[in-house]
């Protein structure tokens, strides 16, 4: 924006950046064209009130200081720290003004540029995160929130821009409608404010009153806010609750004694992604009062029996969608609205009435995925078993009881963390961080508005104290709840440095000092590259291909898209892939193109499948079916990016469905020809899972994918209620044909979805569901049976894994063969070789392989398994036969 004397006083935008006490950055494009920065009179203004007028002549009733334009530009260290500001002008403060920075950041702060005549040319407020970090560097070591010593709490809040901070306390027994006790908090040089309480404060409710200038609203406010480091809260998070996690009363016996399985190597991780409410809300074997709660896993139920079967077969981790306090779900059970289930069951399978009923409940349905953070350190209250349990300390013990139950079932517990955004910002009632330190915790655009590329207010974890919150929260959940890992939502919006800081803090936790070995905690996340941070615009991102050597993995969309076909962003969801009938079983929609185009795409998908089976390694070499030459994973193209991006196989997680987008069963429903028999659909469900499970990377399954879970074709069920997120561990109903999915994300495809939902052939029977589950269990048993599926290093994968049929006349379309040669440097005592052959076509194939297959036989798991068809697979001297839609594993005994 260019200013004139007529409109300058507004100061609506914040284009400048105060980076350290002596340096301000200003965008050159904000000046009128042709103006030379060196010829201008630059001034810094700060005022305790909002009355700065850049057009005013001195003397003025606020502080001012002349700034010196530095033609050398910003110092190299600041350019390295803020690369997106590399072309900004550098303005230098005089020493006296720089020494006032700590006071100035509590004020309205602005810069103006004038011609020598005094005419105003440019003005705007400043973004202050850089200088605040410099002033508060030592706060990174502060213990924030409530800390306890001999039963007495000390509360500490970081609020470096606050004028004053008070603690508002409601003692135990006091009504929240009563006036609180008011305690003055004492400031420190690091920007923190603290008060030490009394032993009787345990269980008390509290808030902070923070008096602070908010630049966006340009006024001083007295915000009453909860503690961002709250360990627990009252119902619907109106007040923080003083809870000591070390209180013996909060230690369930099973949680204290149960030991989770330990991974020998990260590639051993096999994950079941589960929403806690889905897990039990429809499970009649769980007592009614415990359904959908933390305590549901603590009882013997159909759901726990299902998880134990999976664990016995080789599953070792349950990944739980967000369980920190979220801003959406109604926590008071009597205020929730449940749709009329019995009425909905009577409606036609393609009716829009079901989704209308679910949508009518809004945020009061009791359901949400929970990707809308409010308090990062406190368990979400809606999962508490009772209203009383949601009111304070009990939600802590109930969460621990859940962790203990999963551990006792042989499952590690991974928490889904969402540090990339908050539910709200500014002065919104559910904004905490921004009402304590306005303009600091959120990433701002070129004029000071909050970035929202994540569809919510983005958190600037590149800022020191935002990173600290992220690190402290992860340490908190490990130390006080003994969780075993973290899945990071939209991890690419964090920096590699952020993730290394979390990793270092976890690695420092020891059994002796903390009760846990932090080195055993796994970390992985979504390494997508988009938004204002894309292509390392602001920092080196934690994206695919940039985490080599960290031990932090990312989800691979390469294998996912190749197996399913198309992209999750496709307007028409019927594009077919390797596992959904491309070329061999055209669905008749015309969306896949002619036979030549399908053949070319299938060859490329086959390359991506091979790459995925080999750990998505950039260095692995194999014959390319699409290029007809040997390529490395890095040379293979994936939408203009290298398809292979991992340095080690543990750095990419293989999966074919997740909570996002359609379930695997629903994808098959959309992509297969409607006349495809249900038996074939069950087999392809297994084939798709096999391609994710029987490779060299860690594996994730979406909960219910082994039992043909459907969300009635809903592509985004985050707020679709229990109705569309139905999960039935009795294996009676997979949830398909529950009505047209919610209009907000699916209406554009209703014309495609409706005839499928109305087709009775597409609803699986209980026998179909049980068959899918049995075949999925065999996949887990196959993976667990041998380390040849889990070699664990890129060197071993390069030395032992090959694709003997690729890039030759031998390769049959819709077939992939992976060989693992273990004759030298053996990792398996029983078998000297392994051969995986996946036939996704609707016919038996005889695949010739240019290798000696003498001694190979069908794997014992499949010889004695539940799938009768796979027993017909046979290995000859240089060929194998594999039945239709089958993944067969052959082994060669030593």
């Amino acid at each position: 924006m260019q200013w004139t004397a007529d409109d300058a006083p507004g100061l609506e935008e914040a284009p400048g950046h105060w980076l350290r006490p002596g340096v301000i950055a200003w965008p050159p494009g904000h000046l009128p064209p042709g103006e030379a920065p060196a010829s201008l009179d630059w001034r810094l203004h700060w005022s305790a009130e909002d009355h700065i007028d850049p057009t005013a002549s001195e003397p003025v009733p606020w502080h001012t200081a002349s700034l010196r334009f530095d033609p050398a530009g910003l110092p190299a260290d600041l350019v390295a720290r803020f690369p997106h500001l590399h072309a900004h002008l550098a303005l230098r403060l005089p020493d006296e003004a720089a020494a006032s920075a700590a006071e100035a950041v509590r004020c309205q702060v602005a810069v103006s540029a004038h011609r020598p005549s005094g005419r105003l040319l440019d003005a705007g407020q400043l973004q202050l995160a850089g200088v605040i970090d410099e002033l508060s560097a030592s706060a990174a070591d502060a213990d924030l929130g409530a800390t306890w010593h001999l039963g007495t709490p000390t509360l500490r809040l970081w609020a470096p821009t606050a004028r004053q901070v008070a603690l508002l306390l409601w003692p135990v027994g006091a009504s929240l409608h009563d006036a609180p006790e008011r305690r003055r908090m004492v400031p420190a040089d690091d920007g923190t404010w603290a008060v030490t309480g009394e032993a009787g404060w345990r269980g008390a409710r509290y808030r902070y009153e923070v008096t602070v200038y908010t630049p966006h609203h340009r006024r001083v406010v007295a915000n009453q806010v909860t503690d961002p480091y709250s360990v627990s809260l009252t119902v619907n998070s109106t007040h923080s609750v003083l809870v000591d996690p070390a209180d013996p009363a909060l230690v369930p016996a099973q949680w204290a004694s149960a030991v989770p399985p330990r991974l020998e190597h990260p590639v051993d991780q096999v994950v079941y992604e589960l929403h806690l409410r889905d897990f039990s809300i429809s499970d009649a074997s769980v007592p009614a009062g415990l359904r959908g709660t933390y305590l549901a896993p603590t009882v013997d139920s159909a759901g726990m029996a299902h998880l134990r079967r999976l664990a016995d077969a080789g599953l070792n981790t349950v990944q739980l969608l967000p369980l920190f306090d979220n801003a959406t779900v109604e926590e008071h059970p009597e205020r929730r609205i449940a749709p009329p289930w019995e009425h909905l069951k009577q409606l036609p399978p393609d009716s829009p009435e079901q989704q209308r009923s679910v949508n009518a409940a809004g945020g009061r349905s009791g359901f949400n995925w929970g990707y809308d953070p409010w308090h990062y350190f406190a368990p979400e209250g809606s999962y508490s078993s009772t209203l009383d349990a949601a009111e304070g300390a009990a939600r802590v013990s109930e969460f621990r009881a859940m962790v203990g139950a999963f551990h006792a079932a042989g499952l590690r517990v991974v928490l889904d963390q969402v540090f990339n955004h908050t539910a709200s910002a500014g002065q919104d009632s559910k904004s905490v961080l921004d009402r304590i330190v306005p303009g600091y915790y959120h990433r701002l655009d070129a004029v000071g508005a909050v970035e929202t590329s994540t569809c919510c207010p983005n958190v600037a974890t590149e800022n020191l104290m935002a990173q600290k919150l992220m690190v402290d929260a992860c340490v908190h959940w490990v130390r006080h709840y003994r969780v075993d890992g973290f899945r990071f939502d939209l991890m690419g919006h964090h920096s590699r440095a952020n993730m290394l800081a979390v990793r270092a803090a976890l690695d420092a936790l020891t059994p002796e000092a903390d009760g846990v070995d932090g080195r055993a905690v796994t970390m992985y996340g979504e390494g997508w590259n988009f938004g204002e941070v894309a292509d390392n615009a602001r920092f080196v991102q934690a994206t695919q291909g940039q985490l080599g050597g960290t031990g932090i993995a990312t989800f691979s969309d390469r294998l996912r898209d190749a197996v399913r076909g198309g992209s999750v962003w496709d307007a028409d969801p019927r594009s077919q892939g390797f596992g959904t009938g491309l070329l061999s079983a055209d669905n008749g929609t015309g969306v896949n193109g002619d036979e030549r185009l399908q053949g070319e795409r299938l060859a490329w998908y086959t390359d991506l499948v091979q790459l995925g089976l080999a750990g998505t390694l950039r260095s692995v070499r194999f014959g390319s079916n699409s290029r007809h030459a040997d390529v490395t994973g890095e040379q293979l193209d994936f939408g203009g990016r290298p398809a292979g991006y991992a340095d080690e196989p543990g750095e990419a997680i293989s999966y074919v469905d997740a909570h996002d987008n359609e379930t695997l069963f629903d994808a098959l429903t959309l992509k297969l020809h409607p006349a495809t028999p249900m038996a074939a659909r069950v087999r392809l469900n297994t084939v798709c899972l096999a391609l994710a499970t029987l490779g060299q990377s860690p594996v994730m399954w979406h909960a219910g994918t082994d039992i043909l879970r459907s969300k009635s074709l809903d592509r985004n069920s985050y707020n679709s209620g229990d109705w569309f997120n139905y999960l039935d561990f009795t294996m009676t109903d997979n949830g398909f044909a529950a009505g047209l999915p919610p209009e907000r994300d699916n209406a554009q495809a209703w014309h495609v979805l409706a005839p499928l939902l109305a087709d009775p052939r597409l609803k699986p029977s209980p026998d179909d569901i049980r068959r899918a589950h049995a075949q999925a269990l065999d996949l887990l048993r196959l993976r667990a049976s041998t380390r040849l599926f889990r070699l664990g290093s890129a060197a071993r994968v390069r030395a032992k894994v090959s694709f003997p049929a690729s890039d030759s006349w031998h390769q049959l379309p819709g077939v992939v063969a992976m060989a693992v040669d273990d004759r030298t440097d053996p990792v398996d005592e029983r078998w000297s070789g392994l051969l995986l052959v996946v036939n996704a076509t609707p016919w038996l194939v005889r695949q010739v392989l240019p290798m000696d297959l003498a001694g190979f036989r069908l794997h014992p798991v499949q010889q004695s398994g539940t799938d009768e068809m796979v027993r017909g697979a046979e290995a000859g001297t240089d060929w194998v036969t594999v039945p239709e839609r089958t993944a067969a594993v052959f082994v060669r005994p030593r």
Side-chain angles (χ1 to χ4, degrees):
M1 179 176 182
Q2 283 75 46
W3 294 85
T4 68
D6 294 330
D7 58 13
L11 299 179
E12 288 90 352
E13 297 181 347
H17 300 257
W18 196 347
L19 301 182
R20 63 171 45 136
V23 181
I24 288 172
W26 193 263
H30 214 257
L31 290 170
E35 294 292 340
S39 68
L40 302 180
D41 174 19
W42 294 89
R43 302 174 193 169
L44 174 69
H45 312 263
W46 67 99
S47 170
E49 305 297 332
D50 175 41
H51 58 204
I52 294 175
D53 177 0
T55 65
S57 300
E58 295 191 10
V60 293
W62 59 82
H63 299 282
T64 66
S66 295
L67 301 174
R68 177 177 61 86
F69 169 71
D70 185 347
L74 295 174
D77 64 322
L78 287 180
V79 171
R81 185 177 164 197
F82 304 98
H84 62 299
L85 304 180
H86 72 278
H88 277 46
L89 308 176
L91 306 175
R92 299 280 185 165
L93 280 73
D95 291 345
E96 182 179 354
S100 300
E103 177 58 31
V105 297
R106 295 185 174 93
C107 302
Q108 181 188 25
V109 186
V111 162
S112 61
H114 307 255
R115 283 181 177 162
S117 65
R119 181 188 175 191
L120 178 69
L121 290 182
D122 201 359
Q125 297 191 77
L126 294 178
Q127 300 179 34
L128 303 176
V131 69
I132 288 173
D133 279 349
E134 294 254 350
L135 295 169
S136 300
S138 60
D141 298 321
D143 292 325
L144 301 181
T147 56
W148 297 79
H149 180 68
L150 301 178
T152 299
T154 295
L155 290 91
R156 184 170 283 106
L157 176 72
W158 183 69
T161 62
R163 311 286 180 85
Q164 62 182 20
V165 180
L167 175 71
L168 307 180
L169 188 79
W170 287 262
V172 175
S175 169
L176 294 178
H177 298 292
D178 295 340
E181 297 179 9
R182 188 181 185 89
R183 302 293 178 102
R184 176 178 174 271
M185 298 185 73
V186 179
D189 292 340
D190 61 0
T192 63
W193 301 71
V195 62
T196 297
E198 304 164 5
W201 282 15
R202 180 174 298 181
R205 287 72 50 84
Y206 69 101
R207 285 174 171 170
Y208 297 121
E209 185 178 81
V210 182
T211 303
V212 64
Y213 177 82
T214 170
H216 182 70
H217 295 84
R218 294 169 47 226
R219 59 189 172 92
V220 176
V221 294
N223 285 324
Q224 288 194 18
V225 294
T226 46
D227 188 346
Y229 276 65
S230 297
V231 172
S232 193
L233 299 145
T234 57
V235 168
N236 287 328
S237 310
T238 62
H239 297 70
S240 302
V241 179
L242 275 168
V243 172
D244 182 0
D247 186 344
L250 304 180
V251 180
Q254 189 176 59
W255 176 76
S257 61
V259 178
R262 190 176 180 94
L263 301 178
E264 183 178 339
H265 192 280
V267 296
D268 296 341
Q269 191 162 221
V270 183
V271 178
Y272 206 58
E273 184 199 38
L274 182 66
H275 186 277
L276 185 64
R277 184 174 172 89
D278 292 352
F279 172 69
S280 65
I281 195 65
S282 303
D283 190 342
S285 65
V286 176
L290 301 186
R291 294 175 198 165
T293 75
Y294 295 121
L295 296 184
T298 67
V299 299
D300 193 13
S301 66
M304 286 307 292
H306 191 91
L307 291 182
R308 284 192 292 270
R309 281 195 303 275
L310 292 169
D312 289 344
L315 188 83
N316 52 38
T317 302
V318 61
Q319 173 190 307
L320 300 170
L321 267 67
L323 293 178
F324 51 75
D325 180 59
N326 72 67
T328 299
V329 180
E330 172 58 58
E331 294 186 352
H332 198 299
E334 295 178 5
R335 297 175 188 161
R336 294 181 196 149
I337 299 174
W341 276 62
E342 293 306 317
H343 170 66
L344 299 185
K345 289 178 181 179
Q346 307 305 315
L347 295 172
D350 58 346
S351 169
E353 293 305 314
Q354 294 95 328
Q355 61 92 29
R356 288 194 187 112
S357 179
V358 169
N359 289 340
R364 296 175 65 185
S365 70
F367 181 94
N368 194 277
W369 281 349
Y371 290 93
D372 46 357
W374 197 354
H375 298 88
Y376 286 103
F377 296 75
E380 163 60 20
S382 65
Y383 297 117
S384 300
S385 63
T386 65
L387 181 61
D388 288 343
E391 274 291 336
R395 65 169 79 175
V396 174
S397 61
E398 290 194 351
F399 193 109
R400 288 171 167 174
M402 173 198 69
V403 173
F406 286 133
H407 283 172
L411 295 165
R412 303 168 66 255
V413 176
V414 166
L415 299 186
D416 198 333
Q417 298 286 65
V418 189
F419 296 110
N420 64 84
H421 65 249
T422 55
S424 57
Q427 287 295 108
D428 185 87
S429 62
K430 294 184 178 180
S431 169
V432 176
L433 299 172
D434 213 16
R435 290 199 294 149
I436 295 173
V437 193
Y440 175 83
Y441 280 100
H442 291 98
R443 190 172 296 126
L444 307 180
D445 68 10
V447 295
V450 175
E451 293 278 10
T452 58
S453 58
T454 65
C455 300
C456 298
N458 295 357
V459 176
T461 48
E462 62 270 30
N463 295 343
L464 178 69
M465 297 301 283
Q467 175 179 278
K468 175 180 171 60
L469 180 142
M470 180 178 183
V471 171
D472 288 352
C474 291
V475 169
H476 172 80
W477 288 107
V478 172
R479 178 184 282 150
H480 296 301
Y481 293 92
R482 300 183 186 172
V483 302
D484 308 289
F486 298 104
R487 178 262 192 199
F488 294 88
D489 185 64
L490 298 183
M491 187 170 65
H493 270 56
H494 302 307
S495 68
R496 177 183 164 105
N498 288 155
M499 306 312 298
L500 289 175
V502 174
R503 182 72 271 171
L506 295 176
D507 288 347
L509 301 178
T510 65
E512 296 77 18
D514 307 286
V516 291
D517 181 0
R519 296 170 300 175
V521 175
T522 54
M523 294 171 56
Y524 55 88
E526 294 181 303
W528 317 134
N529 177 35
F530 70 96
E532 73 284 353
V533 299
D535 301 321
N536 302 321
R538 298 200 180 203
F539 43 73
V540 177
Q541 297 163 265
T543 49
Q544 294 170 332
Q546 299 198 150
L547 291 166
T550 65
I552 302 167
T554 57
F555 292 103
S556 173
D557 47 352
R558 280 69 164 159
L559 179 73
R560 179 200 70 193
D561 287 358
V563 172
R564 291 167 66 110
S567 164
V568 297
W569 306 111
D570 289 349
D572 190 322
R574 294 173 292 181
S575 295
Q576 293 176 276
F578 184 94
T580 58
L582 184 63
L583 185 64
S584 64
D586 186 79
N587 59 23
T589 64
V591 71
N592 296 293
D594 60 21
E595 185 173 341
R596 181 186 62 82
L597 289 174
Q598 291 192 44
E600 292 174 354
R601 191 178 307 116
L602 180 60
W604 177 55
Y605 282 162
T606 304
D607 290 346
L608 294 175
V609 167
Q610 292 178 158
L611 176 67
L613 290 171
T616 317
L617 296 173
R618 65 173 94 235
S619 62
V620 70
R621 181 173 291 276
F622 55 89
S624 164
N625 298 279
S626 62
R627 294 191 178 186
H628 306 293
D630 276 2
V631 297
T632 63
E634 191 169 30
Q635 292 169 337
L636 188 63
D637 178 73
F638 184 76
R641 295 166 287 155
Y645 66 81
D647 291 340
E648 294 292 337
E651 295 172 3
I653 293 181
S654 293
Y655 74 112
V656 288
D657 69 343
H659 68 276
D660 283 321
N661 310 301
E662 297 90 354
T663 67
L664 177 57
F665 177 87
D666 285 346
L668 289 165
T669 302
L670 288 162
K671 296 172 185 295
L672 297 178
H673 194 286
T676 306
M678 185 54 63
R681 295 170 184 272
V682 171
R683 298 196 66 77
L684 284 175
N685 195 81
T686 304
V687 162
C688 293
L689 282 180
L691 292 169
T693 307
L694 301 181
Q696 296 296 328
S697 295
V699 183
M700 188 191 78
W701 289 4
H702 180 42
T705 196
D706 55 306
I707 52 176
L708 308 181
R709 184 184 187 179
S710 170
K711 296 180 181 178
S712 205
L713 307 180
D714 192 350
R715 68 180 310 273
N716 188 12
S717 69
Y718 79 99
N719 199 27
S720 300
D722 302 323
W723 180 257
F724 288 101
N725 288 281
Y726 183 69
L727 184 55
D728 177 17
F729 288 118
T730 69
M731 293 183 272
T732 302
D733 183 350
N734 79 327
F736 184 72
L740 282 168
E743 182 177 11
R744 63 175 180 272
D745 288 305
N746 303 280
Q748 74 282 358
W750 271 2
H751 68 287
V752 173
L753 310 185
L756 297 172
L757 293 169
D759 190 337
R761 298 173 297 175
L762 304 183
K763 177 78 171 177
S765 70
D767 284 344
D768 296 322
I769 298 171
R770 285 191 287 269
R771 188 181 311 113
H773 178 58
Q775 293 178 13
L777 290 174
D778 280 349
L779 294 179
L780 293 175
R781 295 183 184 111
L782 285 168
R783 181 178 179 85
S785 71
T786 174
R787 188 150 287 282
L788 298 182
F789 284 124
R790 298 170 285 117
L791 292 171
S793 75
R796 279 182 171 171
V797 172
R798 290 193 299 267
K800 294 178 180 290
V801 174
S802 64
F803 299 91
S806 64
D807 186 33
S808 75
W809 63 270
H810 299 290
Q811 181 77 63
L812 298 175
V815 178
V816 67
M818 178 184 74
V820 185
D821 188 344
D822 199 39
R823 287 174 292 186
T824 60
D825 186 25
V827 298
D828 192 295
E829 297 178 353
R830 296 159 298 167
W831 299 311
S832 64
L834 178 148
L835 178 66
L836 166 69
V837 182
V838 181
N839 173 19
T841 73
W843 47 73
L844 179 144
V845 298
R846 188 177 190 269
Q847 174 68 66
V848 176
L849 299 173
M851 60 183 291
D852 181 8
L853 294 176
F856 275 87
R857 66 181 189 224
L858 192 66
H859 194 291
V861 166
Q862 292 189 311
Q863 288 179 8
S864 60
T866 59
D867 182 9
E868 295 182 2
M869 189 175 291
V870 75
R871 295 176 204 162
E874 182 182 2
T877 55
D878 63 350
W879 53 266
V880 293
T881 59
V882 177
E884 65 192 67
R885 294 161 172 151
T886 297
V889 177
F890 302 90
V891 288
R892 179 175 56 204
R894 289 197 181 279

